[in-house]
């Protein structure tokens, strides 16, 4: 069993396995979850991660494209996208407390 745990840890590092994939695996059943995640907390986590990752990519790609299109490219093309994502994240926060509050409000309104 220790060999399996060690192999798993080394494999994660060597193959750059993402925790988002690992948490969807049920090892004993040898199955992986597909489709919509039933947990609002996990869905929120994944959406928040994707938003954060998208902003990082926009900034890196924007910096690179600014070499070709000029510094104005960042201000006119990239900043509005980053600001839009930031506005959505402020308006609809996906931290655990906010999600629990929203789920609780939805549950109390259905009764």
């Amino acid at each position: 069993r220790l060999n399996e745990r060690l192999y798993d840890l080394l494999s994660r590092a060597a193959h750059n396995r993402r925790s988002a994939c690992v948490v969807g695996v049920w090892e004993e059943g040898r199955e992986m979850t597909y489709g919509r995640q039933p947990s609002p907390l996990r869905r929120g986590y994944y959406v928040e991660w994707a938003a954060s990752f998208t902003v990082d990519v926009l900034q890196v790609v924007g910096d690179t494209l600014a070499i070709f299109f000029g510094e104005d490219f960042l201000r006119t093309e990239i900043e509005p996208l980053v600001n839009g994502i930031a506005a959505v994240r402020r308006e609809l926060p996906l931290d655990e407390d906010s999600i629990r509050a929203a789920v609780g409000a939805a549950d109390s309104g259905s009764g």
Side-chain angles (χ1 to χ4, degrees), residues 19-67:
S19 61
C21 293
V22 174
V23 298
V25 174
W26 176 37
E27 291 184 20
E28 291 78 23
R30 299 180 56 87
E31 293 182 9
M32 183 160 185
T33 303
Y34 294 96
R36 182 176 182 263
Q37 171 56 252
S39 166
L41 293 175
R42 282 197 179 180
R43 284 196 314 270
Y45 168 81
Y46 293 134
V47 170
E48 182 61 29
W49 175 85
S52 176
F53 185 74
T54 301
V55 167
D56 289 347
V57 169
L58 282 170
Q59 291 171 338
V60 170
V61 171
D63 284 343
T64 303
L65 291 176
I67 295 169

Side-chain angles (χ1 to χ4, degrees), residues 2-103:
L2 180 59
N3 286 344
E4 290 176 14
R5 278 189 53 221
L6 182 58
Y7 177 83
D8 181 58
L9 291 171
L10 292 173
S11 176
R12 289 177 197 220
H15 301 291
N16 202 18
R17 287 173 37 192
R18 300 284 188 239
S19 61
C21 293
V22 174
V23 298
V25 174
W26 176 37
E27 291 184 20
E28 291 78 23
R30 299 180 56 87
E31 293 182 9
M32 183 160 185
T33 303
Y34 294 96
R36 182 176 182 263
Q37 171 56 252
S39 166
L41 293 175
R42 282 197 179 180
R43 284 196 314 270
Y45 168 81
Y46 293 134
V47 170
E48 182 61 29
W49 175 85
S52 176
F53 185 74
T54 301
V55 167
D56 289 347
V57 169
L58 282 170
Q59 291 171 338
V60 170
V61 171
D63 284 343
T64 303
L65 291 176
I67 295 169
F68 301 104
F69 297 111
E71 289 300 316
D72 199 41
F73 178 79
L74 291 172
R75 186 180 54 75
T76 61
E77 303 298 326
I78 302 300
E79 280 185 27
L81 297 172
V82 171
N83 291 340
I85 292 170
V88 170
R89 290 169 86 183
R90 276 190 308 274
E91 184 71 25
L92 302 166
L94 293 174
D95 60 282
E96 184 172 346
D97 290 339
S98 297
I99 292 171
R100 288 189 184 282
V103 170

